[in-house]
Amino acid sequence: MKLQRKNRVRALAVGALAVSGALALTACGSDDTSGAGGGAAKPSNIKCEGKGKLLASGSSAQKNAMDVWVQAYSGACKGTEINYQPTGSGAGVTTFLQGQTAFAGSDSPLKPDEVTRSKQVCKGGQAIDLPMVGGPVAVGYNVPGVDNLVLDAPTLAKIFDSKITKWNDPAIKQLNPGAKLPDLKIQAFHRSDDSGTTDNFTKYLKGAAPGDWKHEPAKKWEGAGGQAASGSAGVSSQVKQTSGAISYFELSYATAGKIPTVKLNTGAKAPVDATVDNASKAISEATQAGKGNDLALKLNYTTKAEGAYPITLVTNEIACDKGNKPETLAATKSFLTYIASKDGQSALKQLGYAPLPTEIADKVRRTVATLS
């Protein structure tokens, strides 16, 4: 599976490079105009600026997107090395606030106290949220003999709070009248690290089932019982290998691991699949929560629109609006501009992510251009 995944990422990166073509390579000082897509390739917006090593860390939900973006960008911009570590949103923001990285990835917007702390790192400015990656948080499961599982918010809340412990529980049976549900213990896995995916998943539970999920949404898991694993890769791996398991993770991990995902009964006419298009329908209802150059979004976790999958997240890249480190500023702006571009966003859907709505992507690009 590791080799298969590596080959898939390489193939997608080549696809992303194909749209870069000769113009991008020439802009980066290369004499090779054949590139991945040859002389007929479309001009790209990859404009290579700055050189050296760019350190970043954070959200593991966007790791698969970063793998492709970094490979495509580094292939075009030979003088820049980008090192992104998927340490989790909480760890990524902490590292950024300590001044150790050029930017961070977070599946939750910055908190007021984090913005205040950022002013010590962003001299003369502060950290801002730049939405970059959208997508569904899939609920993956491993129940022998069950390939089509429907759950709703109250049932999910009870499962992840250890109030429903068997797969043949009456509440699950009622939602799946035709399924052969086994008398099998539920193994609910959650993230052990501070995670924006956890934050968004629990925001959904709190918003859609407040009577059954009494805990406040947070990056740190607050539910009762269950088992823990680190990162999206960790929890998805546990579901893959554990009979009776269930957990939440970004859709690309379910796709890569061939893990079946729950359909949600949202109150719409039909249960909703965790797909990119269905997540896009829900994300399109988001409103801007941040002020000024902070583009943080407020998501609607309780939508009942037909075909709208409400367990979504938007990963933000966290950067200083002013006071970025001079030695990494040019490369940071160049890379962030590329990943917010049409070329950068077009690679996402193949990976199970939802490209940003056009108006949001336009705002992100305009804001990145003002970073100083």
Side-chain angles (χ1 to χ4, degrees), residues 215-226:
H215 314 284
E216 288 303 312
K219 292 180 182 179
K220 182 178 180 180
W221 183 256
E222 300 290 346

Side-chain angles (χ1 to χ4, degrees), residues 159-162 185-190 225-228 244-247:
I159 287 173
F160 280 93
D161 209 23
S162 299
K185 182 181 178 181
I186 295 175
Q187 308 279 356
F189 285 89
H190 57 263
Q227 302 179 63
I246 186 171
S247 190

Side-chain angles (χ1 to χ4, degrees), residues 76-164:
C77 305
K78 302 297 185 182
T80 305
E81 179 187 350
I82 300 171
N83 186 332
Y84 181 82
Q85 295 297 320
T87 56
S89 297
V93 171
T94 297
T95 303
F96 175 80
L97 294 177
Q98 292 171 345
Q100 298 179 28
T101 51
F103 67 90
S106 177
D107 306 320
S108 298
L110 291 164
K111 295 179 180 178
D113 67 303
E114 292 172 335
V115 174
T116 299
R117 289 164 55 198
S118 74
K119 295 178 181 179
Q120 298 176 8
V121 176
C122 307
K123 302 300 181 183
Q126 65 181 46
I128 57 173
D129 297 282
L130 299 168
M132 203 65 73
V133 181
V137 177
V139 180
Y141 64 95
N142 181 346
V143 183
V146 180
D147 299 321
N148 188 6
L149 182 67
V150 176
L151 296 174
D152 58 13
T155 306
L156 278 170
K158 292 172 185 175
I159 287 173
F160 280 93
D161 209 23
S162 299
K163 294 172 183 173
I164 291 179

